[in-house]
Amino acid sequence: MAAFTTAIARKFIKSQPIEPRSASKHNAAPLSLISPTSDRPATIGLEYMTYEQLDEFGRELDAVRQRVLDDLGQKDADYIRRVIRIHKGAEVLGRIGIFMPFFPPAFVAGVGSLAVAKIIDNMEIGHNVMHGQYDWMNDPMIDGARYEWDNIAPAQDWKHGHNYIHHTYTNIHGMDRDIGYNMFRIDEDQPWYPSHRFNLPLATALMMVFEWGIMYHGVELDQYLHGKISKEDFEGRKKRAFKKIRKQVFRDYIAWPALGLVLVPFVGWWAPVAILGANVAANVIRNVWTFLIIFCGHFPAEVETFKEEDAQNENRGQWYLRQLLGSANIKGSKLFHVMTGNLSYQIEHHLFPDIPARRYPEVAEDVNRLVEKYGLHYNTGRLSKQLGSVVRQLAKLGKKPSDPYKIGNSPESKALRRAKREEAARRLETAGASHLVS
Amino acid sequence: MGIIRKALTSRPVASMTSPFTVDHYLEQIHPMLAAGNVRARVVEVRRETGVASTVVMRPNGAWEGFRPGQHVQFGVEVDGKRRVRVFSVSSSQSAKKGTFSVSVKAHPDGYVSQFLHRELQPGTIVYLSQAEGEFVLPREVPSSLLLVSGGSGATPVMSMLRTLRDARHAGDVTFLHYARSHEDEMFTEELDEIAATTDFRVVRVYTREPEAGAELAGRFHVDHLKHLGVDPASTLTYACGPAGLIASVRDTYQELGAADQLQVEYFKVPSVDLDAADATGALTFDDAGIEAPNSGATILVQAEEAGLTPEFGCRMGVCNTCAVKKNSGAVRHVVSGEINANTDETIKICVQVPIGDVNVAL
């Protein structure tokens, strides 16, 4: 987390980064992470290719992106509208179904239909729309800046943590907060704490209430407690979260069950309770599904993570490569891909987060050609394989490591971190001094 | 429908459908079926001149009507993309059968105006805003009124003129219109008819091809007012047209100390030089009320230079954090070079540079 603070501090200490970070040089070098002290290029990917090849790799992927963007049109618009129609239909049918607790087949189908609706809104619509994938359509109802999803996390804060932090600093330790969500040890390079013994049971519990976890993640309580975000910022996040919680809880757990009161004379006192239960069940089903897809897209064993100093001064190709090596795909049927919001093509999503997700299968063909050309590892497998790998990782990395430097609260580990902090501060100071002299 | 519409757009219903609106569900049944969003079906596309068309539409019940002189955001979907432009309402307020119209001159570079002119078919559904704008007739129309227009600036004042005719307005109304030539003039037949059947005074001036024996000639001049016997100090005046016309009308009224009688509206032609290497025009930050000359940098950088602190993330077009609404104007993507000129469009300001005048919601 210390690295994160220094990154924020840098924005204020050094005013020059605006220039090299300027989007007008996007083509040349979209430097997402700039070292304040050195011009040394990032070392990411050097074990696979040379800097020249990395540049070429970046250009090739840029070309893939442009080809898709140029081809966007009516069929993409029709697709997302069809998905939205299915979502609304499934939701309405679901809510009708759960109003028939006296007829179990309809009731159960209603729960399923409502869960499917929530999954589609979370994955193929909400997540993708909020990446701006359909902004080119200029339809206010599916506009990334204005969309609000059927989820506890307010769109605004989720977009900051996900679209910006997670997608820009993907899998960089200390920067991408999605590595283990501050809760799990999912990577060798994370320090071990005693709470990680409960990696697996905690993950199972989080799975059930995943939408609440995502909301909590976006409130950034720990960032505030460590003085890394301002009180004003934190209060805003808290306020938005409570507002969204009120709305979501009122709708699912109060308003719709209350409507069920009209059934009491015909069905019995338990009708509203059944409707309440159905809403809880639909949310839990959605939570389990989204948890599985997200964990399998990010935490299988061979997914790579990176150190901040290795990622500083990346070129376009390195940025792409980090995205590719930091994600994992899940194989499956067409229906499966739709239900994951095409996040089963997590690699393609991380390469091109803002192109419509239905294009990821075709993009994957180009990506695979490049993977072959440069001899890279393309992490993919069936859901069972990826899930097995995630479970093994959680179990293995939850055990206390023998290496004392990997134990977060050991004196060795603390000393190591202190030394790193001091080193970084010293570098920053020298950089500042040389800047003043020049 | 009024009470049902009110119920559907009420808070209790909104809390049952949260985070969506009831329109998200209704439009799945039929696109015209919406409680809050204005939609309209195109009834007729009428050719006015060689380059101008009138689009007659029947809006759904969400439409709250308009006052003569107002404009509307008009959106039409082509290739999956909604293109929105602002057009003035041209029809009379008392048009029958719940229809109204906009009249549009096809601009050579205007994608939407060209589309309306050439391809728009009756039956198409268009996406509208409610009518907007302060350039409107007062509720109580004074006894003497002057309507000055130039070129396609005729549309909003035409709406006023038609409304006054249909209301059998009894006061002095003078309609003074400047067009390049007789062929270039919109609504010619109807203007002839109004001149013949009402007491309104309809005067047309053709600036490039003057007609023999015409009452007036040349561009707007104070002598034109004198000739028509219009006293600016006591005549409520509406002027709409190109910047040059507006400037001379405004100067004239100021010199005569009659500025408070004048209401103006610019008729904006999207004159954008897409190939211009140098930055032109002004970048307006609408929420902050700041206008700055376009420096040619990205909108995000220009906003920061203007002292604003818009939200941003990656500054490389990846994360969508900086997405804001562009109210009007054309922008160019720094990487792809793609140009977008939509009204009410969301753009990532870190990778868009303005071309000419641009207005963003910052």
Side-chain angles (χ1 to χ4, degrees):
Chain A
M1 288 312 112
F4 191 69
T5 346
T6 47
I8 295 231
R10 252 168 239 163
K11 275 185 196 154
F12 299 104
I13 293 166
K14 227 188 160 198
S15 57
Q16 291 113 314
I18 293 295
E19 211 274 312
R21 278 152 50 108
S22 158
S24 57
K25 298 201 175 156
H26 180 103
N27 249 353
L31 301 175
S32 48
L33 195 56
I34 303 228
S35 166
T37 52
S38 86
D39 300 331
R40 188 181 69 108
T43 53
I44 284 173
L46 290 182
E47 64 270 45
Y48 301 105
M49 42 183 130
T50 64
Y51 281 117
E52 288 70 29
Q53 284 174 318
L54 280 163
D55 274 334
E56 174 67 9
F57 180 68
R59 276 195 297 277
E60 282 167 310
L61 282 168
D62 274 341
V64 172
R65 171 190 163 77
Q66 197 56 48
R67 184 175 54 69
V68 177
L69 288 179
D70 292 344
D71 188 48
L72 294 182
Q74 194 64 49
K75 50 199 180 306
D76 302 275
D78 290 345
Y79 172 79
I80 194 66
R81 295 236 163 96
R82 197 158 64 238
V83 173
I84 290 171
R85 175 161 299 204
I86 292 167
H87 164 243
K88 297 298 182 296
E91 191 185 350
V92 170
L93 285 178
R95 297 222 180 259
I96 292 171
I98 63 172
F99 255 78
M100 297 196 242
F102 46 85
F103 182 49
F107 181 75
V108 172
V111 172
S113 187
L114 192 55
V116 164
K118 283 170 178 282
I119 285 169
I120 293 175
D121 178 63
N122 262 208
M123 307 295 262
E124 186 70 321
I125 307 173
H127 168 270
N128 292 340
V129 163
M130 286 193 282
H131 266 293
Q133 293 182 358
Y134 296 94
D135 282 4
W136 58 274
M137 284 173 62
N138 204 27
D139 177 349
M141 284 201 185
I142 41 174
D143 177 315
R146 295 176 242 187
Y147 198 81
E148 187 60 76
W149 58 350
D150 179 2
N151 206 316
I152 301 282
Q156 185 185 339
D157 297 310
W158 177 81
K159 279 187 286 189
H160 176 78
H162 179 84
N163 288 5
Y164 169 42
I165 303 289
H166 171 58
H167 272 274
T168 310
Y169 305 119
T170 309
N171 283 17
I172 298 175
H173 281 284
M175 301 209 71
D176 181 4
R177 307 194 49 242
D178 283 22
I179 303 176
Y181 302 103
N182 283 2
M183 202 172 163
F184 308 110
R185 184 159 179 259
I186 194 71
D187 188 90
E188 281 280 346
D189 291 335
Q190 279 174 279
W192 180 91
Y193 290 98
S195 66
H196 290 141
R197 287 186 212 276
F198 306 104
N199 249 356
L200 265 177
L202 271 177
T204 314
L206 175 68
M207 178 166 77
M208 302 306 207
V209 294
F210 195 47
E211 60 174 331
W212 293 88
I214 295 172
M215 179 277 297
Y216 183 77
H217 194 55
V219 173
E220 309 276 16
L221 174 65
D222 60 314
Q223 296 281 306
Y224 170 61
L225 292 180
H226 286 86
K228 291 166 188 170
I229 61 173
S230 70
K231 187 175 170 66
E232 199 187 355
D233 185 0
F234 175 69
E235 291 295 332
R237 287 162 186 271
K238 215 169 70 179
K239 208 173 135 195
R240 286 190 291 274
F242 276 125
K243 191 175 165 200
K244 191 74 193 291
I245 290 170
R246 272 200 303 278
K247 283 187 168 184
Q248 293 287 104
V249 166
F250 180 80
R251 185 200 59 195
D252 277 354
Y253 305 137
I254 297 173
W256 285 99
L259 269 188
L261 287 170
V262 300
L263 294 174
V264 171
F266 312 102
V267 180
W269 60 269
W270 54 275
V273 180
I275 293 168
L276 173 69
N279 276 318
V280 173
N283 279 329
V284 169
I285 293 169
R286 180 264 313 269
N287 288 344
V288 169
W289 180 255
T290 50
F291 171 94
L292 291 179
I293 300 307
I294 290 158
F295 269 56
C296 288
H298 291 300
F299 303 142
E302 286 142 6
V303 166
E304 290 189 28
T305 60
F306 307 89
K307 291 198 178 67
E308 195 188 335
E309 47 272 34
D310 297 337
Q312 286 174 343
N313 307 329
E314 278 176 335
N315 70 17
R316 182 68 162 161
Q318 288 174 309
W319 186 85
Y320 274 131
L321 189 63
R322 179 158 54 79
Q323 306 300 329
L324 190 152
L325 300 175
S327 315
N329 283 8
I330 313 169
K331 286 180 183 162
S333 68
K334 201 159 181 183
L335 178 66
F336 173 79
H337 292 310
V338 172
M339 293 304 284
T340 67
N342 279 296
L343 295 180
S344 42
Y345 287 96
Q346 190 67 235
I347 293 174
E348 286 71 21
H349 172 58
H350 261 272
L351 293 171
F352 310 116
D354 61 350
I355 69 175
R358 69 178 286 269
R359 299 297 192 127
Y360 293 152
E362 73 177 67
V363 166
E365 292 176 24
D366 293 303
V367 172
N368 271 302
R369 262 196 292 280
L370 291 174
V371 162
E372 209 164 296
K373 177 174 169 186
Y374 294 105
L376 303 170
H377 177 60
Y378 187 79
N379 191 334
T380 186
R382 299 200 62 83
L383 184 62
S384 51
K385 178 202 152 193
Q386 300 294 46
L387 186 58
S389 180
V390 171
V391 171
R392 277 193 302 278
Q393 283 289 97
L394 282 169
K396 190 179 89 186
L397 296 173
K399 288 187 192 119
K400 189 174 180 178
S402 50
D403 182 352
Y405 285 98
K406 287 191 172 171
I407 298 170
N409 49 6
S410 70
E412 292 90 339
S413 174
K414 281 179 177 165
L416 189 71
R417 283 205 300 276
R418 198 180 318 117
K420 270 193 182 163
R421 259 200 316 276
E422 281 162 5
E423 165 70 14
R426 199 162 49 245
R427 270 190 318 198
L428 208 59
E429 221 162 80
T430 15
S434 68
H435 171 58
L436 285 178
V437 171
S438 68
Chain B
M1 192 61 195
I3 195 151
I4 296 173
R5 191 169 299 280
K6 238 188 193 132
L8 286 175
T9 49
S10 67
R11 270 187 71 159
V13 170
S15 69
M16 301 291 275
T17 61
S18 167
F20 311 108
T21 66
V22 73
D23 281 357
H24 282 93
Y25 297 87
L26 290 177
E27 74 165 15
Q28 303 304 330
I29 302 168
H30 191 278
M32 287 284 278
L33 192 59
N37 290 317
V38 187
R39 306 270 187 265
R41 190 185 288 283
V42 173
V43 178
E44 187 193 349
V45 183
R46 201 164 53 221
R47 204 159 255 234
E48 292 290 349
T49 69
V51 291
S53 306
T54 290
V55 181
V56 184
M57 292 162 283
R58 179 172 294 120
N60 66 0
W63 174 247
E64 290 167 4
F66 67 96
R67 293 174 65 192
Q70 285 192 308
H71 49 256
V72 63
Q73 288 182 29
F74 180 102
V76 59
E77 284 188 359
V78 186
D79 282 338
K81 182 170 189 160
R82 187 175 303 175
R83 312 209 181 223
V84 184
R85 297 291 185 279
V86 175
F87 298 131
S88 291
V89 176
S90 59
S91 55
S92 164
Q93 201 173 12
S94 52
K96 290 167 211 84
K97 294 182 230 147
T99 63
F100 77 99
S101 68
V102 297
S103 297
V104 183
K105 189 175 176 182
H107 187 266
D109 301 327
Y111 187 93
V112 174
S113 61
Q114 289 283 351
F115 178 83
L116 298 192
H117 193 57
R118 294 174 201 283
E119 289 173 58
L120 187 65
Q121 295 294 323
T124 306
I125 287 170
V126 293
Y127 304 84
L128 303 175
S129 68
Q130 296 291 358
E132 303 160 339
E134 299 300 312
F135 184 75
V136 289
L137 282 182
R139 302 266 177 215
E140 296 262 323
V141 182
S143 59
S144 61
L145 195 66
L146 171 65
L147 307 173
V148 186
S149 60
S152 338
T155 38
V157 289
M158 193 65 195
S159 174
M160 295 179 180
L161 189 67
R162 284 167 164 162
T163 303
L164 293 169
R165 174 199 61 195
D166 293 348
R168 301 188 189 285
H169 178 67
D172 290 334
V173 176
T174 306
F175 178 87
L176 174 57
H177 179 64
Y178 295 84
R180 276 187 230 162
S181 67
H182 190 265
E183 287 72 48
D184 215 36
E185 180 183 75
M186 292 164 86
F187 317 118
T188 298
E189 279 168 30
E190 198 171 351
L191 287 173
D192 289 342
E193 191 193 317
I194 290 172
T197 58
T198 66
D199 293 336
F200 301 160
R201 191 157 185 196
V202 177
V203 181
R204 289 115 95 185
V205 187
Y206 304 121
T207 49
R208 290 204 188 154
E209 296 170 23
E211 284 192 327
E215 264 192 278
L216 298 171
R219 290 165 178 274
F220 175 84
H221 189 265
V222 66
D223 291 346
H224 288 185
L225 295 182
K226 282 184 188 148
H227 175 88
L228 293 171
V230 171
D231 174 17
S234 63
T235 307
L236 182 60
T237 302
Y238 289 84
C240 180
L245 173 71
I246 300 291
S248 59
V249 173
R250 183 173 267 160
D251 290 349
T252 304
Y253 272 65
Q254 248 154 19
E255 274 167 34
L256 300 171
D260 57 332
Q261 289 287 5
L262 180 65
Q263 300 252 19
V264 299
E265 183 155 87
Y266 289 95
F267 180 75
K268 285 183 202 123
V269 179
S271 57
V272 168
D273 181 2
L274 299 177
D275 300 320
D278 298 327
T280 57
L283 180 56
T284 307
F285 304 102
D286 206 47
D287 298 352
I290 299 174
E291 190 181 293
N294 174 11
S295 71
T298 62
I299 296 175
L300 175 57
V301 169
Q302 296 200 45
E304 286 171 338
E305 281 164 357
L308 302 179
T309 51
E311 265 197 66
F312 64 85
C314 62
R315 295 184 91 105
M316 55 194 263
V318 167
C319 74
N320 219 32
T321 303
C322 65
V324 300
K325 203 172 80 178
K326 182 194 72 192
N327 296 320
S328 63
V331 292
R332 179 194 282 122
H333 194 282
V334 294
V335 181
S336 68
E338 194 192 349
I339 286 156
N340 275 313
N342 281 309
T343 296
D344 190 17
E345 169 182 55
T346 296
I347 55 166
K348 292 177 207 166
I349 56 173
C350 73
V351 284
Q352 297 283 0
V353 290
I355 316 172
D357 293 336
V358 169
N359 182 312
V360 289
L362 268 177

